Amino acid sequence: MAIQPLPLLLLLVTISSHLASSIATNAHYLEAACSVTQHRALCMHSLASFSHSAAWKQKDPCWWAQAAVAVTLAEAKHVGLYLAKMKRGGRMRGGRAALADCIEGFGDAKEELHSSLGELRRLEKRTFEYQMSNVETWLSAALTNQDTCLDGFGRYKGKEVEEVKAKVLNATYFTSNALALVNNLASSGGFS
Ligand SMILES: *[C@@H]1O[C@H](CO)[C@@H](O)[C@H](O)[C@H]1NC(C)=O
């Protein structure tokens, strides 16, 4: 039976074209979500792992808001640990007080991001607007804490200071993106 391999081939072609189109569709959801952010490349890169889920999840602006806040929280923790390590290492000469302030500011930002994520996970139709205004307030406060950290290094120079500032600036980009995705969720009205 020489014709037997044909159905298998057709099946494989069908499966692979289906996979290719679902991957393309998923990338489309991610791209659409990130289009409201100011740092799109970072958005696409940092949320890529959330683009492999079911389409119904990715159509929900709440999915992307939660994802963005979760990766921002992880980044804030990461930078907080890095700052603490920098302080312990004692390599920074000028800007030591600024570094101590930053560690405190990142501690606060971590709590604000944590509260935001908790709120986004228990959204209810009845209290949606109130909850979203809480999240927007906390995220704005987290962004302010991170910006204040950057400003604190004002006139200080040096390799360590530049390294810290680059990491903190990157963390502000994560937070700014999360705020954009949260604002997008708020204006979508949530439970439509
Ligand atoms: C920003 O942070 C992410 C995650 O830690 C990292 O992959 C990326 O390289 C950083 N970008 C810059 C410009 O430091």
Side-chain angles (χ1 to χ4, degrees):
M1 296 295 274
I3 51 167
Q4 209 168 11
L6 191 57
L8 178 63
L9 182 65
L10 276 178
L11 181 68
L12 287 175
V13 168
T14 310
I15 289 173
S16 64
S17 78
H18 176 76
L19 276 177
S21 82
S22 78
I23 287 166
T25 310
N26 285 347
H28 166 77
Y29 289 126
L30 176 62
E31 204 167 339
C34 288
S35 71
V36 302
T37 65
Q38 273 191 44
H39 309 281
R40 287 190 201 187
L42 178 70
C43 179
M44 299 280 293
H45 172 74
S46 63
L47 300 183
S49 66
F50 294 85
S51 70
H52 307 302
S53 302
W56 66 267
K57 285 187 186 167
Q58 298 193 55
K59 283 179 188 166
D60 183 356
C62 190
W63 171 257
W64 296 110
Q66 283 189 13
V69 173
V71 300
T72 302
L73 175 58
E75 184 64 15
K77 285 180 178 171
H78 171 77
V79 174
L81 288 173
Y82 160 83
L83 294 172
K85 196 172 155 197
M86 178 67 87
K87 183 167 183 266
R88 280 198 308 275
R91 285 190 292 134
M92 191 179 280
R93 273 157 293 164
R96 248 179 290 181
L99 183 59
D101 289 346
C102 267
I103 291 171
E104 203 180 314
F106 266 79
D108 292 345
K110 216 166 66 183
E111 280 179 30
E112 287 144 358
L113 288 160
H114 194 258
S115 303
S116 300
L117 192 55
E119 196 80 308
L120 288 174
R121 283 177 175 160
R122 52 168 188 271
L123 288 175
E124 284 180 42
K125 192 170 185 155
R126 195 171 44 84
T127 48
F128 179 77
E129 282 184 22
Y130 167 73
Q131 290 181 293
M132 290 311 294
S133 100
N134 282 341
V135 174
E136 286 168 328
T137 302
W138 290 325
L139 286 183
S140 303
L143 191 54
T144 302
N145 276 314
Q146 293 169 339
D147 280 334
T148 304
C149 162
L150 270 185
D151 292 345
F153 287 104
R155 61 196 171 81
Y156 295 110
K157 295 260 184 305
K159 185 171 152 285
E160 285 80 17
V161 169
E162 296 310 322
E163 194 180 295
V164 166
K165 282 168 77 174
K167 298 236 191 230
V168 172
L169 186 63
N170 199 29
T172 69
Y173 293 165
F174 272 83
T175 313
S176 149
N177 282 351
L179 190 52
L181 288 164
V182 161
N183 287 336
N184 184 55
L185 168 62
S187 61
S188 80
F191 305 82
S192 47

